[in-house]
Amino acid sequence: MLKCQTLIPVLGDQVTRTLPSLMGATKEDSVVLMMEVWDEATYVKHHKQKITLIFSAMRHFAAELEDAGWQVDYVKLDDKDNSGSFTGEVARAIERHDPEQIRVVEAGEWRVQQQIEEWADKFDCEVEILPDSRFLCSHQEFRDWAEGRKHLTMEHFYREMRKKTGILMTEDGKPVGGDWNYDKDNREPPKDEMDPPPVPKFEPDDITKEVMELVEDRFGDHFGNLDSFEWPVTADQAEKAADAFFAERIEKFGPYQDAMVHGSDDLYHSMLSTSINCGLLDPIKLCERAEKSYEDGRAPINSVEGFIRQIIGWREYVRGFYWLHMPGLQTDNKLNAQRALPEFFWTGETDMRCLSDCIRSTHNNAHAHHIQRLMVLGNFCLLAGINPKDVQDWYLAVYADAYEWVELPNVSGMILYADGGKLATKPYAASGNYINKMSDYCKKCTYSVSKKTGDGACPFNPLYWHFMDRHRDRLESNHRIGRIYSNWDRMDADKRREYLDSAQNFLDALTPADKNWARAED
Ligand code: FAD
Ligand code: DLZ
Ligand code: SF4
């Protein structure tokens, strides 16, 4: 087997042509190691489309590297001696190549980083762990920013990132357009005349088809539908998907960012998170393209600023937040939520039309857009008091863009308030009113959104007050939410009882999932 000086392991979310470990390495005396491993494919039972996306992107990237003259050692899942783990595969590769050095980019996830940090002790070669320059803000920079702050407000962090990049900044250091944030213009409900252009879909090629067969064969019992797999799996395809977004959809991205339409899964969203997170697209370049759309007069400031804020704001912020609070974030449960995830999260079988539509999209596409994840699925889990572990596992398993560094802060912090308010200043709790305002779901729902309690009432209505009532001690002193309690106190006692009884009846009738479908059984 080929001997080399440097072994360069490239993980499944590192399929980036300009990956720091590849830059500056010499092709002649390096071997790039890519590994399909059982541990990664099953630490949660990922959606079939997610495994297909990662394996296919890895196989295409390996072929691209080989074409560019790299020596690639690619371990397939079904290779006879595959050990099933990153560390096991690096050990085997060391035997094959006898390297003097391992050069690897830090892992996105805490779990994997723990493994990488053990390599220097385990193996008889030097291990260099490089920072992941595909993010704007390093772990240390985020820690420095967080140091001494009472609250880690995303908006403050975001302004620092705007200044750092100069994106949407004037020459004299002011935000372009005069405001930092145009969110107030980005809350349009859906309109009948909305006609979003279709998102480009990519027919599976032979490599992807082979992976799909493997996934059906080895992961057939995982959640999700593989028939509709059409995600970009190469950098060129991802670039085409980005081109279409900037040509056709960014203009209306802002106004309809929070809109939801039954059966309409993309609307004006970019649908680029799967490509950004595995490394096929450069997030900063996307922000620069968005800025250019504004400068060229092709998109309004509220759309462009909104898109850029999601990326250099939220995306960078949640990553910094994750590394600052791990591993504790995984087990935080400050609201002491103990209920099991209902079965319908896996089957989609519920009369709640909003939830069934979001779960349908999740099952068919391994995707749901942000407001569906936050204000329908997430809001339900918060109000119903579903335990954080079940919710984390579900979100990590079912979305093709899910990696723990981005999923966990969104789940534990943003939707469940399980971190006690470190990320969000208040829980994102809402009654059916909000969903009715921002979607067309309620019109044809079995439940009536205007009915507050009793048979046929939208379950979100009583659940909202049940949640508020049971967490009064913690939430009443929160100045952003506390005044709600004067409305509650103004209701007569019978009405309050009706709300609480309706919610309790609904909760008692929920069927819990018969097992945690996101975890393999021991
Ligand atoms: P767009 O609406 O077009 O937004 C543009 C980009 O902004 C996205 O591609 C993404 O990179 C970034 N972005 C937007 N919102 C967030 C956010 N809250 N956190 C981080 N990045 C953001 N996003 C993931 O990439 N992976 C996840 O596992 C994930 N889990 C989530 C769980 C919950 C409970 C919630 C509320 C949100 C989650 N998000 C996650 C954020 C968001 O829902 C997705 O990034 C978005 O739906 C992806 O679709 P899009 O590319 O069309 O996004
Ligand atoms: C998500 C995933 C899956 C399903 N499988 C693999 C794999 O077999 N090999 C691999 O290198 N990466 C995989 N990934 C992505 C990794 O989980 C991801 O690189 C880590 O989360 C990084 O911390
Ligand atoms: Fe969802 Fe309630 Fe509207 Fe039905 S009525 S779609 S359950 S918000």
Side-chain angles (χ1 to χ4, degrees):
M1 246 311 174
L2 179 75
K3 301 289 165 202
C4 73
Q5 200 181 350
T6 309
L7 183 70
I8 307 180
V10 171
L11 310 184
D13 60 354
Q14 298 182 343
V15 293
T16 306
R17 289 170 186 162
T18 54
L19 194 71
S21 53
L22 298 173
M23 306 304 284
T26 41
K27 292 175 182 168
E28 305 73 54
D29 51 22
S30 306
V31 166
V32 174
L33 173 68
M34 297 184 73
M35 314 155 261
E36 292 172 9
V37 291
W38 189 254
D39 280 5
E40 289 307 300
T42 56
Y43 69 89
V44 287
K45 293 174 79 174
H46 308 278
H47 193 295
K48 289 176 196 164
Q49 291 199 19
K50 181 176 173 188
I51 305 181
T52 303
L53 167 72
I54 306 280
F55 283 10
S56 176
M58 286 173 65
R59 291 183 185 195
H60 280 95
F61 189 64
E64 227 184 81
L65 289 178
E66 272 171 348
D67 284 349
W70 289 94
Q71 308 176 83
V72 181
D73 184 353
Y74 193 98
V75 182
K76 287 191 171 172
L77 188 82
D78 279 344
D79 284 356
K80 186 166 62 53
D81 297 319
N82 190 326
S83 64
S85 72
F86 283 144
T87 300
E89 283 317 292
V90 170
R92 290 200 318 124
I94 289 173
E95 280 177 24
R96 290 194 292 272
H97 306 298
D98 193 21
E100 283 167 25
Q101 190 204 26
I102 296 175
R103 201 159 187 252
V104 63
V105 173
E106 66 190 351
E109 296 183 323
W110 188 84
R111 171 182 55 79
V112 177
Q113 184 64 10
Q114 301 309 298
Q115 296 169 35
I116 292 180
E117 283 174 8
E118 288 172 2
W119 291 353
D121 287 338
K122 276 205 163 84
F123 304 128
D124 187 20
C125 55
E126 189 201 325
V127 179
E128 188 184 9
I129 305 176
L130 301 168
D132 192 343
S133 61
R134 300 171 305 163
F135 289 90
L136 192 58
C137 181
S138 69
H139 300 324
Q140 188 56 47
E141 193 181 344
F142 192 88
R143 275 195 291 272
D144 292 345
W145 173 79
E147 177 80 36
R149 283 174 195 263
K150 242 174 108 187
H151 195 268
L152 304 182
T153 308
M154 195 294 291
E155 181 65 26
H156 298 159
F157 170 81
Y158 164 56
R159 292 181 189 185
E160 293 302 315
M161 295 301 108
R162 287 271 294 277
K163 290 183 206 156
K164 179 174 175 175
T165 54
I167 293 177
L168 286 186
M169 298 298 293
T170 63
E171 272 173 16
D172 54 356
K174 302 258 168 28
V176 167
D179 286 327
W180 288 99
N181 180 318
Y182 293 84
D183 218 17
K184 60 182 184 328
D185 301 326
N186 286 354
R187 293 177 194 141
E188 291 281 323
K191 300 221 166 49
D192 289 343
E193 64 272 20
M194 270 188 353
D195 188 16
V199 169
K201 310 281 185 196
F202 300 90
E203 278 283 301
D205 64 4
D206 288 347
I207 294 183
T208 304
K209 281 186 192 150
E210 193 179 305
V211 172
M212 287 164 81
E213 271 177 37
L214 172 79
V215 170
E216 282 298 5
D217 184 38
R218 305 296 302 277
F219 308 105
D221 65 333
H222 286 210
F223 179 74
N225 180 352
L226 204 47
D227 304 339
S228 49
F229 183 91
E230 287 166 322
W231 291 108
V233 291
T234 66
D236 291 345
Q237 289 180 346
E239 226 30 83
K240 286 201 182 88
D243 291 347
F245 173 66
F246 290 115
E248 297 165 2
R249 297 199 308 288
I250 191 169
E251 185 190 349
K252 295 197 177 141
F253 171 86
Y256 296 119
Q257 207 178 343
D258 290 353
M260 295 175 278
V261 177
H262 189 269
S264 196
D265 301 335
D266 316 329
L267 294 176
Y268 296 97
H269 292 276
S270 72
M271 305 298 283
L272 297 176
S273 56
T274 58
S275 302
I276 302 173
N277 291 352
C278 73
L280 297 175
L281 285 175
D282 177 339
I284 306 307
K285 285 204 181 114
L286 294 175
C287 292
E288 289 164 355
R289 288 187 73 175
E291 183 180 32
K292 184 94 174 44
S293 313
Y294 172 67
E295 288 166 357
D296 295 349
R298 283 179 287 115
I301 187 75
N302 53 312
S303 285
V304 167
E305 187 280 320
F307 179 76
I308 289 171
R309 176 160 25 89
Q310 303 315 312
I311 294 190
I312 63 171
W314 278 111
R315 186 171 183 274
E316 291 283 338
Y317 171 87
V318 298
R319 182 204 184 227
F321 185 91
Y322 170 80
W323 283 96
L324 189 66
H325 293 298
M326 277 301 279
L329 199 57
Q330 274 175 338
T331 47
D332 269 352
N333 188 3
K334 294 289 192 308
L335 296 186
N336 191 26
Q338 298 296 346
R339 190 174 302 280
L341 192 75
E343 187 176 64
F344 70 72
F345 270 76
W346 297 109
T347 62
E349 285 167 19
T350 166
D351 288 337
M352 298 175 78
R353 192 165 180 258
C354 51
L355 279 161
S356 78
D357 189 54
C358 297
I359 295 164
R360 176 203 52 76
S361 173
T362 304
H363 181 267
N364 290 351
N365 313 320
H367 190 274
H369 54 80
H370 184 66
I371 212 69
Q372 296 175 314
R373 296 189 207 192
L374 179 65
M375 294 310 292
V376 178
L377 298 156
N379 186 29
F380 181 88
C381 292
L382 172 75
L383 301 187
I386 311 299
N387 77 73
K389 186 73 191 130
D390 278 10
V391 186
Q392 287 157 15
D393 284 352
W394 187 81
Y395 275 91
L396 192 55
V398 301
Y399 292 115
D401 59 19
Y403 300 85
E404 195 187 62
W405 65 264
V406 51
E407 165 273 322
L408 189 53
N410 274 299
V411 167
S412 171
M414 199 182 297
I415 64 169
L416 295 184
Y417 208 69
D419 63 349
K422 290 191 193 107
L423 186 143
T425 45
K426 68 174 178 65
Y428 280 88
S431 69
N433 243 345
Y434 176 87
I435 296 172
N436 188 33
K437 196 172 101 200
M438 295 310 296
S439 77
D440 67 352
Y441 287 140
C442 304
K443 280 184 214 147
K444 293 187 184 163
C445 184
T446 313
Y447 293 104
S448 163
V449 73
S450 56
K451 195 160 185 244
K452 306 295 179 200
T453 58
D455 282 352
C458 166
F460 279 106
N461 294 335
L463 283 176
Y464 174 80
W465 284 117
H466 194 275
F467 172 82
M468 286 299 171
D469 185 60
R470 70 180 189 268
H471 295 298
R472 185 167 191 153
D473 285 354
R474 180 179 279 274
L475 299 180
E476 195 169 20
S477 57
N478 182 322
H479 71 282
R480 294 198 61 204
I481 209 167
R483 64 193 159 72
I484 299 280
Y485 288 99
S486 38
N487 298 342
W488 181 235
D489 292 338
R490 268 199 298 276
M491 284 181 212
D492 69 48
D494 288 347
K495 187 75 200 161
R496 287 202 301 262
R497 191 72 264 150
E498 267 179 50
Y499 269 115
L500 298 180
D501 288 349
S502 280
Q504 197 55 53
N505 290 341
F506 174 84
L507 291 171
D508 290 346
L510 283 175
T511 308
D514 60 352
K515 64 176 186 180
N516 183 350
W517 285 96
R519 293 276 165 189
E521 281 168 282
D522 293 330

